Every structure is written in structure tokens, then in C-alpha cells.
Amino acid sequence: MVRGGKAGLVRVWNVFGPLLGLLFVVAVFSANPDVRPYFLTGANFKIILTQTVIVALCALGMTMIIVSGGIDLSVGSAVALTSVVGATAVLKGASPALAVVLTVATGGLLGLLNGAAIAGLNMLPFIVTLGMMGVARGSAKWLGGNQTVNYPDSPVNRLMALEAPDKLLPLPIGVWLAVALAVLMAVVMGQTVFGRHLFAIGANETAARLSGIRVRRCKLAVYALAGLFFGVGGLMQLSRLTQGDPTVAIGLELDVIAAVVIGGASLSGGSGSVAGSMIGALIMAVLRNGSNQSGWPTYMQEIIIGIVIILAVAVDRLRQRRTA
């Protein structure tokens, strides 16, 4: 009975913990009377939501990967490469629709290559994606001639354009796209056979295989689908900067993994949620925005985010001990 009660508390924490964390971070920055007039405004919340989009989209893919017991360190490089591909396509005269398809498809291809090596050759995700990090970043620099790719004005730029910057609404198209994809992935992860297979593989891959789950095929699909989300993140990066930059998104993988872990996912696999990852992405954006509003130096922001990541992993370990 006690064990069941503890498990119930853990489930409640998994659902409401990340949300309480977000409210706590907002409250901390709101408590400063010098920051509050600028922080608690519709215009600032629009900036926060816009800044969340890229991390949130990539976190959707990373959630699937981490839940299934994997990891992907090539996210930042994938975003850089896909944004350069999109910018180059527009520069060469491709239609906006074709540029979008090429950008997203490039991300899917990178994910497919990762999945093929991990599932087909039974290689460690850490090693494979670490190598892909260098391959994708180098390819982005090669394609862009080691410089930014500037292109004429394009409808692609409107995806992340800020209209009426002094008001909360209207929000950029990219924000609504991230929300729609998050809802879709929440249904996939929670209501489909594919989603249940991901949790089963992450919890115990051997047991999942013996139960008849096609583990290799699922892993290949996971990394390929995650790559598509990274490609969409690259598209939003392209739209936001209005240029393709091969040096962009360095360290993005840290923010994405942190968002998923802060949102309640376990790095050991088998647990996590889309809603938690989205709240985690918001926490990361609020931390950076509030730190900037408070005038804290960049190194202080990095220290704070590092501490938050360590605390999130510590909470995950404690949660695992209680459910053991």
C-alpha cells in the first residue's frame, strides 16, 4: 500500500512538477521590482514564446529519442545544416514550398543516417550522433562557403516574423506550428501502438524484443522522425535570422536535452512526456529572458542552466529510487 502511494505521488510530480518549476521561475524574476514592469508584459511573453519555438520543436524529436533510451548530440549541427540548405535553395531560385521541403527533408535524412547506424549496426547513440555533429556542421560550412548565406526576401521569413511587437497577439506562425505539432506528438506518444513501443524499448529493450516488438525498426523510425523535427527547427531558425548561418545553434543540443530532462524525462529511458518537454523548453526560455532583463552576464546564465540540469537529473534519480 505504501509502495502504491509513493508511485502515485511520483506520477503526480511527473505531471505537475515541471509546471510548478515554470511558475517558480516566473515568480523569481517577477519579484524584482526593477524587472517586473518589463518582464510581465504581453510584448515580452511574445518574445519568450518566439524564442521557445526552435528548442520546443527539437525537443519533440528528442523526447522520442530519450524515451526510447537513446540520445542525439547532433541537434545543433542539424539545425545549422538544414537552415543553410533552405537558404541556399531560396538563393538558387527554388520556390518557398520546395525550400521548405528540402530543409525538413535534410533533417529527416540526417536522422535516418543516425538511426541506420544505431539500429542497423548496433552502435552507441552517443558515438554515432557525436560523429554526426561534426559531419553536419562541416557540411553546413562547406555548403555555405564558410560564411552566411543571404537570400532575397521570401515568404519563408514570415514564419517567425514578429507583427505588433508591443502586444502579445498575434503570435508568429511558428509558435502555432509548434503547438500543433506538440498536440499531435502527445497523441502519438500516449495513444498509439508506436508510442507504447517507445516506452517499452526505453524501459527494457531486451524484454521489448522478446515481446515481439521490432526494436530496430522502431529505433530507425524514431531517429528519422526526430530528424524531421530538427529540420523544422532549422526552418524556423532560417526564418528567424532571414539567412543561413553554418555557425548557428552551437550548444543547442544542451538546451534541447535540458528541456526534455527538466520536463520529467529520464536519461535512462522509459519515461517522459511531450507536455513536460514543452514546459521544459519554456523554462529554458524564461531563464534566459529573465536573466537578460536582470542584466546578468552570459556566464551567469550558463551557470544557472547547468545547475538546473544537474538538479533535474538528481530529481530523476530520486524518482527512480522511489519507484524501484
Side-chain angles (χ1 to χ4, degrees):
M1 197 71 178
V2 175
R3 184 184 295 270
K6 286 184 178 180
L9 289 175
V10 170
R11 285 193 294 269
V12 171
W13 175 255
N14 288 344
V15 174
F16 294 104
L19 181 59
L20 291 175
L22 175 61
L23 294 177
F24 174 76
V25 172
V26 171
V28 167
F29 290 115
S30 301
N32 188 335
D34 296 327
V35 174
R36 190 185 308 122
Y38 308 98
F39 183 73
L40 295 177
T41 63
N44 191 51
F45 284 138
K46 172 182 279 190
I47 293 173
I48 291 174
L49 290 172
T50 304
Q51 292 174 337
T52 304
V53 168
I54 297 170
V55 173
L57 287 169
C58 294
L60 291 175
M62 189 64 74
T63 300
M64 290 191 296
I65 291 175
I66 289 180
V67 165
S68 66
I71 198 72
D72 194 330
L73 302 179
S74 64
V75 181
S77 298
V79 167
L81 176 57
T82 53
S83 68
V84 171
V85 168
T88 303
V90 175
L91 183 63
K92 298 296 184 181
S95 66
L98 179 58
V100 168
V101 170
L102 290 174
T103 303
V104 177
T106 300
L109 177 60
L110 293 176
L112 187 64
L113 293 174
N114 281 335
I118 292 167
L121 301 178
N122 200 29
M123 297 178 66
L124 292 175
F126 181 90
I127 299 300
V128 172
T129 58
L130 182 63
M132 184 58 74
M133 177 196 294
V135 171
R137 182 70 64 178
S139 298
K141 293 178 179 178
W142 168 72
L143 182 61
N146 213 27
Q147 59 186 1
T148 57
V149 179
N150 298 297
Y151 59 89
D153 184 46
S154 169
V156 173
N157 297 344
R158 298 171 193 164
L159 293 172
M160 292 290 282
L162 285 176
E163 298 181 13
D166 57 334
K167 302 177 183 176
L168 176 61
L169 298 175
L171 294 172
I173 297 173
V175 173
W176 296 115
L177 177 62
V179 171
L181 290 175
V183 171
L184 175 62
M185 284 308 303
V187 173
V188 171
M189 294 283 288
Q191 305 296 328
T192 68
V193 173
F194 176 71
R196 290 194 290 272
H197 285 179
L198 295 187
F199 284 97
I201 293 171
N204 192 321
E205 183 175 327
T206 301
R209 184 180 291 106
L210 294 175
S211 299
I213 296 175
R214 297 179 177 179
V215 174
R216 290 187 176 183
R217 182 177 296 183
C218 283
K219 285 187 175 182
L220 182 64
V222 165
Y223 282 92
L225 287 173
L228 291 176
F229 281 111
F230 301 160
V232 178
L235 178 65
M236 296 302 114
Q237 184 75 70
L238 171 65
S239 177
R240 183 179 175 188
L241 295 181
T242 65
Q243 64 180 12
D245 187 352
T247 64
V248 81
I250 294 176
L252 177 65
E253 53 278 347
L254 175 63
D255 282 4
V256 173
I257 294 172
V260 177
V261 173
I262 290 170
S266 171
L267 288 174
S268 302
S271 68
S273 70
V274 170
S277 296
M278 296 301 96
I279 295 174
L282 272 173
I283 290 175
M284 298 295 292
V286 171
L287 279 172
R288 292 192 183 280
N289 181 272
S291 299
N292 289 330
Q293 296 278 5
S294 302
W296 296 349
T298 303
Y299 65 81
M300 183 62 69
Q301 299 177 32
E302 294 174 353
I303 291 173
I304 292 172
I305 291 173
I307 292 174
V308 169
I309 293 172
I310 294 173
L311 290 176
V313 174
V315 169
D316 172 54
R317 292 299 183 186
L318 181 62
R319 184 171 58 236
Q320 289 182 23
R321 289 180 182 177
R322 288 185 176 182
T323 55

